Amino acid sequence: MKFKLRQLEAFQAVAQTGSVTRAAKALGISQPATSRLLSDFSNSVAIELFQRKDGMLIPTSEARYLLSEVGRVFDSLRHLEELNRDLTDRTAGHLRIACLPGFASSHLPKLLAKFLQQRPGVNLTLEPDRPERILEWIIGEQYDCGITDGFSGHPAVEHIDIAVKTVCIFPRGHRLGKLERISPLDLVDEKIIHTRKSSPFFNSLSQSFSDHGVLLNSWVEVRQFSTACLMVAEGQGVSVVSALDADQFKSKNVAMRPFEPEIYHWLSILRPASGSRSLLSLDFVDTFLESLKPYTVDLPPQ
């Protein structure tokens, strides 16, 4: 059977009004046009749709069964229209984000809470993991975007690189608090908490010490800046971390100063190179980049 939605509308309108004339008025079309739509639909389904009684068109038992199904069709269409409107307005959908563990417990929860508040129909998956795993997920198109560091490029991945400022952090009351800026020369006698020695950021930090002719006094090696911040807050050691992470601990027992020479923690936002990008994911990336502006500098990609 092949029939048009306009035929279903005419069928439903006649059943609800009991008259072709009144149905035509409700549909905003002529009576002959309504009669033609009803006739074409009747021929398509090959059953008698109405019986005339006391000047009214009364649906047959078969027609009443069809009406319940037609009602479901229009309910589904209304749902599709609402869904399309929500998707166009970015208020519905499913957003999948993979990120470094530190983001999942510090910067992102507050940002995402506000993002979702403005989009009540959106579902979210937030999955923290190590950079290697995040890259695998993006290559496999399992997530809409990934937030990672140390990204060196991949043909299946599009990326936006972000240079985040860094600061030296130390416990409040520490002698370093008397300085306006801190260089490797000021940290010669300090126990340093730092990121993994295999990380690009540690290489930059270590190189800054070498350039000043001093050794970096490695004490604790951690994967996340937030771990270094927590240890410093407990009065142990000093560290050089991203300004973004340090800011999360400014209300705790942590003081900070600019570090010289300037080194940067490079973040990357990853997205699958193939396939379409949801409007939601594009909105999230814009929101995330805007939230980082106080902590970033404009530099060419690495």
Side-chain angles (χ1 to χ4, degrees), residues 90-229:
R90 281 84 150 178
T91 58
H94 188 187
L95 180 62
R96 302 164 300 169
I97 304 169
C99 68
L100 299 171
F103 277 102
S105 59
S106 58
H107 186 69
L108 279 181
K110 185 176 181 180
L111 180 71
L112 287 170
K114 184 177 180 180
F115 186 83
L116 294 175
Q117 186 179 21
Q118 299 167 350
R119 299 163 178 80
V122 171
N123 294 321
L124 172 72
T125 297
L126 180 63
E127 188 68 38
D129 213 314
R130 64 190 190 280
E132 299 83 3
R133 189 64 173 150
I134 293 172
L135 179 58
E136 290 177 12
W137 286 334
I138 297 299
I139 292 172
E141 300 185 22
Q142 295 174 260
Y143 286 80
D144 298 304
C145 63
I147 302 169
T148 187
D149 60 8
F151 178 67
S152 57
H154 191 282
V157 174
E158 289 185 351
H159 60 99
I160 300 172
D161 295 327
I162 310 157
V164 181
K165 303 171 189 175
T166 58
V167 293
C168 179
I169 60 171
F170 46 87
R172 292 191 183 278
H174 194 282
R175 67 170 184 86
L176 293 173
K178 299 176 182 179
L179 304 176
E180 292 185 4
R181 294 180 176 274
I182 296 172
S183 78
L185 294 175
D186 301 313
L187 301 179
V188 171
D189 297 323
E190 300 295 336
K191 295 186 292 185
I192 308 295
I193 305 168
H194 56 80
T195 57
R196 293 165 296 131
K197 292 181 178 179
S198 61
S199 69
F201 183 75
F202 178 81
N203 292 335
S204 297
L205 180 63
S206 180
Q207 185 62 50
S208 71
F209 275 74
S210 297
D211 291 344
H212 281 74
V214 295
L215 292 176
L216 186 155
N217 183 15
S218 174
W219 181 47
V220 177
E221 182 177 352
V222 297
R223 178 174 284 273
Q224 299 296 328
F225 285 141
S226 56
T227 307
C229 293

Side-chain angles (χ1 to χ4, degrees), residues 16-31:
Q16 292 172 344
T17 62
S19 162
V20 173
T21 302
R22 286 190 289 271
K25 186 176 181 180
L27 294 174
I29 59 177
S30 68
Q31 181 175 336

